[in-house]
Amino acid sequence: MDSMYEMLMELPLFKGIGFNRLSEIVGTTRFHFLKFNDGETIVEAGEPCTHIKFVISGAARLTTVNSTGRMKISQTVSAPDVISPDFLFGKFTNQPATAVAIGPTGILQIEKLEYLKILHSDNVFLINFLNTLSIDAQKSVIGVLALTNGSLEERISFWVVALTQRGSTDIALQCRQRDFYSLFGVQRSSFISTLESMRDRGIVEFDQREIRFLSRSALVDILTRQPTE
């Protein structure tokens, strides 16, 4: 039992909560613990976000596909993390990505109304959730400001950071290269030159069909770096 509580206290929602307070929440909230085998679908893109879903063991591969199906971005989120928390509330409350289990994976899901009760029960829970939402909102502002310099490297970084979660790994963008050029509005030579520069610094690997981003934090650094004199 103690190990379960320790696991819960590592989740983003419960950061900063003591053992006794967490025991009270567990006693009054309907928690659903689910297990998925390797390759099983946890959520489908487009389905309503009726629950918040925490990865409590293992990992999940999240894949977002554009409307034409010609471009997709994938990322891995590992325990302890949460799947698409910023789509639980707001105007658009459908899952943005399909999540598939990588190996045996444990999920804790809490129904939306139950989750609201938790948020209202203690300011720590509310602050934890607001911090998560603020991080997502701020990355967009930082990215837009970075784009004013017109750097292709910054535009690529912003696009990937905006579509992935903090702490995600194994990020891959799959698309035909000519569609990449169209997406960023540049010539092939400029695009390849930028990727080669990022590859030489250990940020990406790429081929004709895929760009693999080796460090999301390096992309964030590109967006937040100060201009040189």
Side-chain angles (χ1 to χ4, degrees), residues 6 34 78 96 112 168 174 191:
E6 291 170 359
L34 308 175
S78 304
K112 186 184 292 188
S168 62
Q174 295 178 327
F191 188 74

Short mmCIF file of all heavy atoms in Angstrom, two decimals, residues 6 34 78 96 112 168 174 191:
data_model
loop_
_atom_site.label_atom_id
_atom_site.label_comp_id
_atom_site.label_asym_id
_atom_site.label_seq_id
_atom_site.Cartn_x
_atom_site.Cartn_y
_atom_site.Cartn_z
N GLU A 6 3.35 6.20 -2.60
CA GLU A 6 4.58 6.83 -3.09
C GLU A 6 4.51 7.10 -4.58
O GLU A 6 4.96 8.13 -5.06
CB GLU A 6 5.79 5.92 -2.76
CG GLU A 6 6.10 5.83 -1.28
CD GLU A 6 7.12 4.76 -0.98
OE1 GLU A 6 7.57 4.08 -1.93
OE2 GLU A 6 7.48 4.60 0.21
N LEU A 34 -5.95 0.95 -14.61
CA LEU A 34 -6.07 0.13 -15.81
C LEU A 34 -4.71 -0.39 -16.22
O LEU A 34 -3.69 0.30 -16.04
CB LEU A 34 -6.68 0.95 -16.95
CG LEU A 34 -8.01 1.69 -16.64
CD1 LEU A 34 -8.40 2.55 -17.82
CD2 LEU A 34 -9.10 0.70 -16.29
N SER A 78 6.45 8.92 -20.33
CA SER A 78 6.74 7.83 -19.40
C SER A 78 6.27 8.21 -18.00
O SER A 78 6.13 9.38 -17.65
CB SER A 78 8.24 7.54 -19.38
OG SER A 78 8.72 7.24 -20.68
N PRO A 96 -6.19 14.87 -28.67
CA PRO A 96 -5.48 15.30 -29.86
C PRO A 96 -4.62 14.19 -30.48
O PRO A 96 -4.21 14.30 -31.63
CB PRO A 96 -4.58 16.43 -29.35
CG PRO A 96 -4.30 16.04 -27.93
CD PRO A 96 -5.56 15.36 -27.43
N LYS A 112 -13.80 13.32 -15.04
CA LYS A 112 -13.65 14.77 -15.01
C LYS A 112 -14.31 15.41 -13.78
O LYS A 112 -13.71 16.28 -13.12
CB LYS A 112 -14.22 15.38 -16.30
CG LYS A 112 -13.98 16.87 -16.43
CD LYS A 112 -14.66 17.44 -17.66
CE LYS A 112 -14.03 16.95 -18.93
NZ LYS A 112 -14.56 17.66 -20.13
N SER A 168 8.57 14.81 -22.79
CA SER A 168 8.42 13.73 -23.77
C SER A 168 9.77 13.42 -24.42
O SER A 168 10.66 14.26 -24.50
CB SER A 168 7.39 14.09 -24.83
OG SER A 168 7.80 15.23 -25.58
N GLN A 174 7.17 12.74 -39.07
CA GLN A 174 7.17 11.95 -40.30
C GLN A 174 6.38 12.66 -41.38
O GLN A 174 5.23 13.04 -41.18
CB GLN A 174 6.58 10.56 -40.05
CG GLN A 174 7.41 9.71 -39.11
CD GLN A 174 6.79 8.36 -38.84
OE1 GLN A 174 5.58 8.22 -38.82
NE2 GLN A 174 7.63 7.35 -38.66
N PHE A 191 16.44 24.22 -46.00
CA PHE A 191 15.89 23.27 -45.03
C PHE A 191 16.93 22.23 -44.65
O PHE A 191 17.16 21.96 -43.45
CB PHE A 191 14.65 22.60 -45.61
CG PHE A 191 13.90 21.74 -44.64
CD1 PHE A 191 13.14 22.30 -43.64
CD2 PHE A 191 13.97 20.36 -44.73
CE1 PHE A 191 12.45 21.51 -42.72
CE2 PHE A 191 13.29 19.56 -43.83
CZ PHE A 191 12.52 20.13 -42.83
#
